[in-house]
Amino acid sequence: MFRSLLTVICWYLRPLMKWFLRKTTRLCELQRLCYGEKAGAPRSLGVENSLLLSRSPDIKNLVVFLDRISDGRKFTGTNRDNVIQYAVHTVLRVKRINPRIHPQFGRSFAKCVEHIWGYRQLVQEIETLRTTQYDAKNEDHENKLLTLWELLMPSTELETRVTKQWQDIGFQGDDPKTDFRGMGMLGLENLVYFAREYPGPASHVLSHSHHPQYGYEFAIVGINLTSMAYHMLKDGSAKTHVYNTSRGVPTVRVFHQLYCYLFYEFDRFWIEAKPRNVMDFSYIREKFENRIRLALANPASAFRINISIDNI
């Protein structure tokens, strides 16, 4: 009740505060954010919030336009450059900002637009991968699956396509295709990326999954962590990491990088938790996710794999 009342009060006082600050600083809110906040998540999150709360019809229309472009996955190439230029010019006009007096504003605001609507487009791209189901009749899907085996088990030849050997890298049965149902091709793409781009850490984690006491199903846990990363991306929790690690428009690679970090760190977290058995997975996973979400609440968060050697 109190929070709702406070929200209403802030909504009505916001225009007055903005007017007062503009009169005293001679800068609009977007300028204050672009000049006063650190580049990355602090600045982009502030600009995003300011645009969404704007009562200007022109700014509202601009947001709708940008949403439509990113949802249609057209925020790319020359079109992206034109859209960003249009967004900058619209804000300069609406906010009456002289670009010759404030040349830095246009550059800073353009980078925020790249982050904000690049992220929205990334969500669409990831959703497409997630909803693309594994198809054993699709040669590309099959080749990716076989590539995963070759990357993780380079010294062991796969006897046949359907075999118990798949359980050696953590699939549940003789045919991995059934394990991708929840996350579709996104789960496989994540696993292949981890094994290809981080062969050392991936091998390190796979060896932990075979531990006689603390072992777990590598691939199944990996797909579960795909789900974690996916939901963080969808609900916006991952924005701090993505905005802080993307120099330009966020790409699928940024999502893969986040996934690799989660997998490597979850393995460490799992071993340190000393689980009694795999029945502890849900509890430990929840604790791990809470820790990650708490870290993401920090505007400075930017995850990178920190490789260390252990003896377990």
Side-chain angles (χ1 to χ4, degrees):
M1 180 65 179
F2 175 74
R3 181 174 295 179
S4 299
L5 180 61
L6 186 61
T7 301
V8 172
I9 292 173
C10 289
W11 170 254
Y12 282 104
L13 288 179
R14 177 176 164 78
L16 178 62
M17 289 298 297
K18 289 176 65 177
W19 175 85
F20 175 76
L21 288 171
R22 176 141 198 174
K23 286 295 183 181
T24 53
T25 65
R26 296 190 177 183
L27 299 172
C28 71
E29 183 177 52
L30 290 173
Q31 286 176 290
R32 295 195 299 274
L33 288 166
C34 286
Y35 296 156
E37 294 291 348
K38 185 178 179 181
R43 183 181 297 167
S44 293
L45 287 170
V47 167
E48 183 175 15
N49 186 62
S50 178
L51 292 173
L52 292 176
L53 292 178
S54 177
R55 300 186 186 189
S56 163
D58 286 341
I59 297 297
K60 288 181 177 181
N61 289 335
L62 174 64
V63 170
V64 170
F65 169 72
L66 292 171
D67 285 350
R68 186 168 64 249
I69 292 295
S70 57
D71 288 348
R73 296 170 64 177
K74 297 177 181 178
F75 197 59
T76 58
T78 304
N79 191 54
R80 177 198 64 210
D81 296 338
N82 291 337
V83 167
I84 292 174
Q85 187 176 32
Y86 171 72
V88 172
H89 286 171
T90 299
V91 169
L92 290 175
R93 173 178 58 81
V94 173
K95 299 298 182 180
R96 298 177 183 176
I97 300 171
N98 189 327
R100 286 174 294 185
I101 298 176
H102 299 280
Q104 182 57 43
F105 172 77
R107 293 190 290 270
S108 298
F109 181 73
K111 183 63 64 178
C112 292
V113 172
E114 275 192 320
H115 280 167
I116 298 163
W117 279 277
Y119 185 98
R120 189 179 177 101
Q121 179 170 266
L122 176 60
V123 172
Q124 298 298 322
E125 293 171 345
I126 293 301
E127 186 64 35
T128 297
L129 282 172
R130 188 192 71 84
T131 55
T132 300
Q133 291 302 305
Y134 186 93
D135 182 2
K137 296 179 181 179
N138 186 309
E139 186 177 350
D140 183 54
H141 293 188
E142 286 285 281
N143 287 338
K144 279 189 171 67
L145 181 60
L146 295 175
T147 296
L148 177 64
W149 175 269
E150 292 167 359
L151 290 169
L152 292 174
M153 305 289 282
S155 302
T156 306
E157 186 176 349
L158 197 64
E159 296 171 357
T160 182
R161 168 62 180 78
V162 180
T163 170
K164 291 186 181 296
Q165 284 180 288
W166 289 112
Q167 296 174 33
D168 294 340
I169 59 173
F171 287 103
Q172 290 181 320
D174 299 351
D175 193 345
K177 69 179 183 181
T178 58
D179 293 327
F180 293 116
R181 288 173 184 165
M183 286 291 112
M185 284 300 293
L186 182 61
L188 178 55
E189 293 277 3
N190 274 166
L191 286 168
V192 170
Y193 186 93
F194 185 38
R196 176 181 287 133
E197 299 298 321
Y198 296 96
S203 177
H204 180 77
V205 172
L206 181 61
S207 68
H208 280 185
S209 74
H210 293 152
H211 191 273
Q213 184 176 355
Y214 304 133
Y216 54 86
E217 295 176 314
F218 176 91
I220 297 302
V221 168
I223 295 170
N224 194 285
L225 292 172
T226 291
S227 176
M228 182 187 296
Y230 164 76
H231 285 101
M232 288 177 176
L233 186 78
K234 284 276 286 186
D235 66 25
S237 301
K239 284 180 179 178
T240 48
H241 166 77
V242 173
Y243 290 169
N244 284 330
T245 57
S246 300
R247 293 185 177 180
V249 174
T251 63
V252 173
R253 180 179 177 275
V254 174
F255 180 81
H256 285 320
Q257 292 277 329
L258 172 61
Y259 167 81
C260 293
Y261 173 84
L262 292 177
F263 206 161
Y264 191 75
E265 289 301 315
F266 177 79
D267 174 73
R268 187 204 307 270
F269 192 80
W270 173 266
I271 297 299
E272 290 176 353
K274 295 181 169 55
R276 293 166 297 178
N277 51 54
V278 293
M279 297 301 290
D280 285 343
F281 177 77
S282 294
Y283 170 70
I284 293 174
R285 181 197 183 280
E286 183 178 359
K287 285 187 64 178
F288 176 72
E289 181 172 351
N290 289 339
R291 190 181 76 166
I292 294 297
R293 287 186 177 277
L294 183 62
L296 286 170
N298 179 356
S301 63
F303 298 145
R304 292 178 177 82
I305 290 181
N306 181 25
I307 300 174
S308 62
I309 303 299
D310 55 27
N311 296 293
I312 64 164

